[in-house]
Amino acid sequence: MERRIPDGLVAALARAKCVVVFTGAGVSAESGIPTFRDAMSGLWARFDPMQLATPEAFMRDPVMVSRWYDERRLNCAACTPNPGHRALVLMEERLVAAGSEFTLLTQNVDRLHQAAGSRNVLELHGSIWEWRCCACGARREERGGPLGEYPPRCACGGIRRPGVVWFGEQLPGAVCAAADRALGECDLFFSIGTSAVVQPAAGFIHTAKKRGARTVEINRDPTPVSDLVDWSVMGKSGEILPELVDRAFKN
Ligand code: OAD
Protein backbone atom coordinates (compact mmCIF):
# COMPACT_ATOMS: atom_id res chain seq x y z
CA MET A 1 0.00 0.00 0.00
CA GLU A 2 1.39 3.37 -1.03
CA ARG A 3 0.85 6.82 0.40
CA ARG A 4 1.76 8.71 -2.75
CA ILE A 5 -0.18 8.44 -5.97
CA PRO A 6 1.73 6.32 -8.52
CA ASP A 7 2.39 7.87 -11.95
CA GLY A 8 1.05 4.68 -13.58
CA LEU A 9 -2.34 5.22 -11.92
CA VAL A 10 -2.46 8.86 -13.05
CA ALA A 11 -1.73 7.75 -16.64
CA ALA A 12 -4.30 4.93 -16.48
CA LEU A 13 -7.02 7.38 -15.39
CA ALA A 14 -6.08 9.90 -18.05
CA ARG A 15 -6.37 7.18 -20.75
CA ALA A 16 -9.37 5.25 -19.38
CA LYS A 17 -12.33 4.64 -21.68
CA CYS A 18 -14.73 3.23 -19.10
CA VAL A 19 -14.37 3.90 -15.39
CA VAL A 20 -16.37 2.38 -12.56
CA VAL A 21 -15.99 3.93 -9.12
CA PHE A 22 -17.36 2.02 -6.16
CA THR A 23 -17.69 4.02 -2.93
CA GLY A 24 -18.42 3.32 0.71
CA ALA A 25 -18.91 5.20 3.93
CA GLY A 26 -15.27 6.35 4.10
CA VAL A 27 -15.92 8.83 1.27
CA SER A 28 -18.45 10.66 3.45
CA ALA A 29 -16.35 10.49 6.64
CA GLU A 30 -14.72 13.85 5.93
CA SER A 31 -18.20 15.37 5.60
CA GLY A 32 -18.84 14.41 9.22
CA ILE A 33 -20.92 11.28 8.60
CA PRO A 34 -19.62 8.42 10.73
CA THR A 35 -18.73 5.31 8.75
CA PHE A 36 -21.11 2.42 9.15
CA ARG A 37 -18.84 0.61 11.53
CA ASP A 38 -18.03 3.81 13.47
CA ALA A 39 -21.67 4.86 13.68
CA MET A 40 -22.41 3.42 17.06
CA SER A 41 -21.39 6.26 19.29
CA GLY A 42 -23.22 8.17 22.04
CA LEU A 43 -26.57 6.63 22.92
CA TRP A 44 -26.06 3.89 20.37
CA ALA A 45 -22.61 2.76 21.54
CA ARG A 46 -23.92 -0.42 23.10
CA PHE A 47 -25.60 -1.62 19.88
CA ASP A 48 -24.10 -3.56 17.01
CA PRO A 49 -25.05 -2.06 13.60
CA MET A 50 -25.46 -5.58 12.24
CA GLN A 51 -28.20 -6.04 14.86
CA LEU A 52 -30.07 -2.86 13.86
CA ALA A 53 -29.80 -2.85 10.07
CA THR A 54 -31.92 -5.94 9.47
CA PRO A 55 -35.60 -6.60 8.69
CA GLU A 56 -35.73 -8.83 11.79
CA ALA A 57 -34.56 -5.96 14.02
CA PHE A 58 -37.23 -3.69 12.54
CA MET A 59 -39.95 -6.30 13.08
CA ARG A 60 -38.74 -6.89 16.64
CA ASP A 61 -38.34 -3.22 17.60
CA PRO A 62 -39.61 -0.79 14.94
CA VAL A 63 -39.50 2.11 17.44
CA MET A 64 -35.78 1.77 18.11
CA VAL A 65 -34.73 1.01 14.52
CA SER A 66 -36.74 3.85 12.99
CA ARG A 67 -35.45 6.26 15.65
CA TRP A 68 -31.84 5.21 14.89
CA TYR A 69 -32.35 5.79 11.16
CA ASP A 70 -34.07 9.12 11.77
CA GLU A 71 -31.12 10.30 13.88
CA ARG A 72 -28.74 9.25 11.12
CA ARG A 73 -30.94 11.05 8.55
CA LEU A 74 -30.85 14.26 10.61
CA ASN A 75 -27.07 13.97 10.94
CA CYS A 76 -26.79 13.64 7.13
CA ALA A 77 -28.97 16.76 6.75
CA ALA A 78 -26.30 18.74 8.58
CA CYS A 79 -23.50 17.53 6.27
CA THR A 80 -22.27 18.73 2.89
CA PRO A 81 -20.09 17.15 0.18
CA ASN A 82 -16.33 17.18 0.77
CA PRO A 83 -13.40 17.54 -1.68
CA GLY A 84 -13.52 13.76 -2.39
CA HIS A 85 -17.12 13.99 -3.62
CA ARG A 86 -16.26 17.05 -5.68
CA ALA A 87 -13.21 15.39 -7.25
CA LEU A 88 -15.45 12.53 -8.43
CA VAL A 89 -17.75 15.05 -10.09
CA LEU A 90 -14.77 16.50 -11.93
CA MET A 91 -13.56 13.00 -12.86
CA GLU A 92 -16.95 12.25 -14.43
CA GLU A 93 -17.08 15.58 -16.26
CA ARG A 94 -13.60 15.20 -17.71
CA LEU A 95 -14.09 11.58 -18.76
CA VAL A 96 -17.49 12.19 -20.34
CA ALA A 97 -16.17 15.28 -22.16
CA ALA A 98 -13.46 13.05 -23.62
CA GLY A 99 -16.05 10.51 -24.83
CA SER A 100 -15.35 7.99 -22.05
CA GLU A 101 -17.87 6.38 -19.74
CA PHE A 102 -18.21 6.81 -16.00
CA THR A 103 -20.39 5.00 -13.49
CA LEU A 104 -20.47 5.60 -9.76
CA LEU A 105 -21.71 2.67 -7.67
CA THR A 106 -22.28 3.66 -4.09
CA GLN A 107 -23.21 1.88 -0.90
CA ASN A 108 -23.80 5.26 0.71
CA VAL A 109 -27.35 6.22 1.53
CA ASP A 110 -26.63 9.93 2.17
CA ARG A 111 -26.93 11.19 -1.45
CA LEU A 112 -23.86 13.41 -1.03
CA HIS A 113 -22.52 12.25 -4.42
CA GLN A 114 -25.66 13.61 -6.09
CA ALA A 115 -25.58 16.76 -3.94
CA ALA A 116 -22.02 17.38 -5.16
CA GLY A 117 -23.13 17.01 -8.79
CA SER A 118 -22.30 13.42 -9.77
CA ARG A 119 -24.72 12.35 -12.50
CA ASN A 120 -24.41 8.65 -13.25
CA VAL A 121 -24.89 7.30 -9.73
CA LEU A 122 -26.28 3.87 -8.88
CA GLU A 123 -27.44 3.53 -5.27
CA LEU A 124 -26.89 -0.04 -4.15
CA HIS A 125 -28.25 0.37 -0.62
CA GLY A 126 -31.06 2.86 -1.27
CA SER A 127 -31.46 6.23 0.39
CA ILE A 128 -31.81 7.36 3.97
CA TRP A 129 -34.09 10.20 2.82
CA GLU A 130 -36.79 8.01 1.36
CA TRP A 131 -39.16 6.18 3.68
CA ARG A 132 -41.65 3.67 2.37
CA CYS A 133 -44.85 2.18 3.65
CA CYS A 134 -44.65 -1.51 4.58
CA ALA A 135 -48.35 -1.90 3.72
CA CYS A 136 -49.01 0.04 0.50
CA GLY A 137 -45.43 0.63 -0.70
CA ALA A 138 -45.86 4.44 -1.02
CA ARG A 139 -42.49 6.22 -0.92
CA ARG A 140 -41.89 9.70 0.37
CA GLU A 141 -38.75 11.72 0.70
CA GLU A 142 -38.27 13.20 4.18
CA ARG A 143 -36.11 16.31 4.21
CA GLY A 144 -37.56 18.09 7.25
CA GLY A 145 -37.01 17.82 11.02
CA PRO A 146 -37.45 14.76 13.25
CA LEU A 147 -40.24 12.46 12.11
CA GLY A 148 -41.48 12.55 15.70
CA GLU A 149 -43.55 9.40 15.52
CA TYR A 150 -41.63 6.10 15.66
CA PRO A 151 -42.20 4.18 13.55
CA PRO A 152 -43.73 6.82 11.27
CA ARG A 153 -47.14 6.02 9.79
CA CYS A 154 -48.45 6.23 6.27
CA ALA A 155 -51.80 7.84 5.37
CA CYS A 156 -53.04 4.27 4.71
CA GLY A 157 -52.35 3.37 8.36
CA GLY A 158 -49.35 1.14 7.65
CA ILE A 159 -45.96 1.70 9.27
CA ARG A 160 -43.16 3.22 7.22
CA ARG A 161 -39.57 1.97 7.10
CA PRO A 162 -36.33 3.59 5.97
CA GLY A 163 -35.77 3.20 2.21
CA VAL A 164 -32.45 1.48 2.66
CA VAL A 165 -31.37 -2.07 1.92
CA TRP A 166 -30.84 -4.07 5.08
CA PHE A 167 -28.61 -7.06 5.70
CA GLY A 168 -30.24 -10.13 4.27
CA GLU A 169 -32.34 -8.15 1.75
CA GLN A 170 -31.96 -8.23 -2.03
CA LEU A 171 -30.25 -5.30 -3.72
CA PRO A 172 -32.57 -3.53 -6.20
CA GLY A 173 -32.63 -5.65 -9.37
CA ALA A 174 -32.43 -2.80 -11.90
CA VAL A 175 -29.48 -1.27 -10.03
CA CYS A 176 -27.66 -4.61 -9.97
CA ALA A 177 -28.24 -5.12 -13.69
CA ALA A 178 -26.88 -1.65 -14.48
CA ALA A 179 -23.90 -2.24 -12.17
CA ASP A 180 -23.17 -5.56 -13.92
CA ARG A 181 -23.27 -3.88 -17.31
CA ALA A 182 -20.85 -1.17 -16.21
CA LEU A 183 -18.50 -3.69 -14.58
CA GLY A 184 -18.56 -5.81 -17.72
CA GLU A 185 -17.23 -2.92 -19.77
CA CYS A 186 -14.89 -1.06 -17.45
CA ASP A 187 -11.17 -0.79 -17.98
CA LEU A 188 -10.45 0.97 -14.69
CA PHE A 189 -12.14 0.12 -11.40
CA PHE A 190 -11.84 2.08 -8.14
CA SER A 191 -12.86 0.87 -4.68
CA ILE A 192 -12.89 3.92 -2.41
CA GLY A 193 -13.58 4.25 1.31
CA THR A 194 -15.21 0.87 1.71
CA SER A 195 -14.25 -1.97 4.02
CA ALA A 196 -15.09 -4.18 1.01
CA VAL A 197 -16.59 -6.92 3.13
CA VAL A 198 -20.32 -6.79 2.32
CA GLN A 199 -21.52 -9.01 -0.55
CA PRO A 200 -22.38 -8.80 -3.38
CA ALA A 201 -20.63 -5.46 -3.53
CA ALA A 202 -17.40 -6.99 -2.27
CA GLY A 203 -17.36 -9.18 -5.40
CA PHE A 204 -17.26 -6.21 -7.79
CA ILE A 205 -13.52 -6.10 -7.76
CA HIS A 206 -13.32 -9.73 -8.88
CA THR A 207 -15.80 -9.09 -11.70
CA ALA A 208 -13.79 -6.08 -12.85
CA LYS A 209 -10.52 -8.03 -12.70
CA LYS A 210 -11.98 -10.91 -14.69
CA ARG A 211 -13.06 -8.41 -17.28
CA GLY A 212 -9.40 -7.33 -17.49
CA ALA A 213 -9.81 -3.94 -15.80
CA ARG A 214 -6.97 -2.36 -13.88
CA THR A 215 -8.01 -1.97 -10.25
CA VAL A 216 -7.40 0.69 -7.61
CA GLU A 217 -8.14 1.02 -3.93
CA ILE A 218 -8.15 4.29 -2.02
CA ASN A 219 -8.67 3.79 1.71
CA ARG A 220 -7.50 5.15 5.03
CA ASP A 221 -6.74 1.59 6.19
CA PRO A 222 -5.80 -1.74 4.61
CA THR A 223 -8.78 -3.96 3.62
CA PRO A 224 -9.23 -7.52 2.31
CA VAL A 225 -8.86 -6.23 -1.28
CA SER A 226 -5.67 -4.23 -0.69
CA ASP A 227 -3.47 -7.08 -1.91
CA LEU A 228 -5.66 -7.83 -4.94
CA VAL A 229 -5.61 -4.45 -6.63
CA ASP A 230 -3.07 -3.06 -9.08
CA TRP A 231 -2.72 0.14 -7.08
CA SER A 232 -3.57 0.56 -3.41
CA VAL A 233 -3.25 4.13 -2.20
CA MET A 234 -3.54 4.67 1.54
CA GLY A 235 -4.98 7.94 2.79
CA LYS A 236 -8.13 10.01 3.04
CA SER A 237 -10.25 10.08 -0.11
CA GLY A 238 -10.84 13.82 0.39
CA GLU A 239 -7.10 14.35 -0.02
CA ILE A 240 -6.11 11.65 -2.54
CA LEU A 241 -8.93 12.12 -5.06
CA PRO A 242 -8.46 15.86 -5.71
CA GLU A 243 -4.75 15.30 -6.30
CA LEU A 244 -5.32 12.29 -8.54
CA VAL A 245 -7.95 14.04 -10.68
CA ASP A 246 -5.88 17.19 -10.89
CA ARG A 247 -2.82 15.27 -12.11
CA ALA A 248 -4.73 13.06 -14.55
CA PHE A 249 -6.61 15.90 -16.24
CA LYS A 250 -4.34 18.87 -15.80
CA ASN A 251 -4.00 19.59 -19.51
P1 OAD B 1 -17.56 0.65 6.54
O1 OAD B 1 -17.91 1.49 7.72
O2 OAD B 1 -17.61 -0.83 6.66
O3 OAD B 1 -16.08 1.00 6.03
C1 OAD B 1 -15.62 2.30 5.83
C2 OAD B 1 -14.23 2.23 5.25
O4 OAD B 1 -13.80 3.55 4.98
C3 OAD B 1 -13.19 1.60 6.19
O5 OAD B 1 -12.39 0.70 5.42
C4 OAD B 1 -12.35 2.80 6.63
O6 OAD B 1 -10.99 2.44 6.84
C5 OAD B 1 -12.46 3.71 5.42
N1 OAD B 1 -12.31 5.15 5.68
C6 OAD B 1 -12.67 5.87 6.77
N2 OAD B 1 -12.42 7.17 6.60
C7 OAD B 1 -11.89 7.31 5.35
C8 OAD B 1 -11.44 8.42 4.56
N3 OAD B 1 -11.50 9.66 5.02
N4 OAD B 1 -10.97 8.17 3.32
C9 OAD B 1 -10.91 6.90 2.83
N5 OAD B 1 -11.31 5.83 3.53
C10 OAD B 1 -11.81 6.01 4.77
O7 OAD B 1 -18.48 1.17 5.37
P2 OAD B 1 -18.86 0.48 4.01
O8 OAD B 1 -17.75 -0.33 3.46
O9 OAD B 1 -19.48 1.53 3.17
O10 OAD B 1 -24.67 -2.01 4.56
O11 OAD B 1 -19.98 -0.48 4.49
C11 OAD B 1 -20.70 -1.12 3.50
C12 OAD B 1 -22.00 -1.50 3.99
O12 OAD B 1 -21.83 -2.23 5.18
C13 OAD B 1 -22.94 -0.38 4.39
O13 OAD B 1 -23.60 0.19 3.31
C14 OAD B 1 -23.85 -1.09 5.29
C15 OAD B 1 -22.79 -1.84 6.09
O14 OAD B 1 -22.92 -2.97 6.58
C16 OAD B 1 -25.92 -2.24 4.94
O15 OAD B 1 -26.49 -1.59 5.80
C17 OAD B 1 -26.60 -3.33 4.18
Side-chain angles (χ1 to χ4, degrees):
M1 220 183 210
E2 302 199 34
R3 277 188 186 277
R4 55 179 291 278
I5 299 171
D7 292 339
L9 167 56
V10 173
L13 176 57
R15 281 196 308 263
K17 293 284 166 242
C18 185
V19 173
V20 173
V21 173
F22 171 46
T23 63
V27 171
S28 291
E30 289 155 85
S31 293
I33 299 177
T35 64
F36 197 75
R37 282 163 183 77
D38 289 341
M40 314 312 285
S41 55
L43 284 177
W44 302 102
R46 66 198 166 90
F47 295 100
D48 173 356
M50 309 291 205
Q51 303 302 319
L52 291 183
T54 65
E56 293 77 20
F58 184 68
M59 275 187 279
R60 205 170 42 238
D61 195 341
V63 176
M64 182 169 73
V65 172
S66 54
R67 190 185 288 275
W68 181 55
Y69 273 93
D70 204 32
E71 276 191 23
R72 292 179 58 207
R73 178 182 70 87
L74 293 169
N75 180 46
C76 289
C79 296
T80 53
N82 67 57
H85 295 107
R86 289 195 288 275
L88 289 172
V89 176
L90 201 56
M91 187 190 287
E92 178 172 22
E93 283 172 4
R94 299 303 294 261
L95 286 165
V96 169
S100 301
E101 284 177 44
F102 176 91
T103 306
L104 180 44
L105 310 179
T106 190
Q107 299 171 104
N108 298 345
V109 294
D110 53 40
R111 294 220 164 133
L112 285 183
H113 285 303
Q114 292 93 328
S118 286
R119 299 178 77 88
N120 194 19
V121 183
L122 298 174
E123 287 176 331
L124 295 162
H125 287 171
S127 160
I128 202 153
W129 305 102
E130 219 174 71
W131 290 63
R132 83 168 177 269
C133 177
C134 297
C136 73
R139 292 167 184 270
R140 199 167 78 209
E141 196 167 279
E142 297 291 351
R143 288 280 178 176
L147 294 178
E149 181 190 26
Y150 301 106
R153 294 224 165 244
C154 178
C156 83
I159 59 171
R160 296 163 71 217
R161 57 161 283 177
V164 299
V165 176
W166 280 324
F167 290 103
E169 292 186 316
Q170 294 279 334
L171 301 194
V175 171
C176 284
D180 268 353
R181 262 196 311 278
L183 287 165
E185 288 165 8
C186 77
D187 55 15
L188 188 60
F189 174 85
F190 287 86
S191 174
I192 309 177
T194 171
S195 52
V197 291
V198 176
Q199 289 294 356
F204 289 163
I205 185 143
H206 301 285
T207 311
K209 272 175 94 76
K210 257 189 241 146
R211 156 72 180 78
R214 313 294 296 276
T215 52
V216 190
E217 176 178 61
I218 299 172
N219 202 300
R220 194 190 59 187
D221 309 302
T223 75
V225 305
S226 301
D227 292 332
L228 300 176
V229 292
D230 295 292
W231 295 287
S232 175
V233 185
M234 194 165 71
K236 294 181 173 178
S237 50
E239 294 171 3
I240 308 282
L241 281 168
E243 183 188 335
L244 171 64
V245 171
D246 184 55
R247 283 175 56 193
F249 302 112
K250 66 172 168 261
N251 296 319

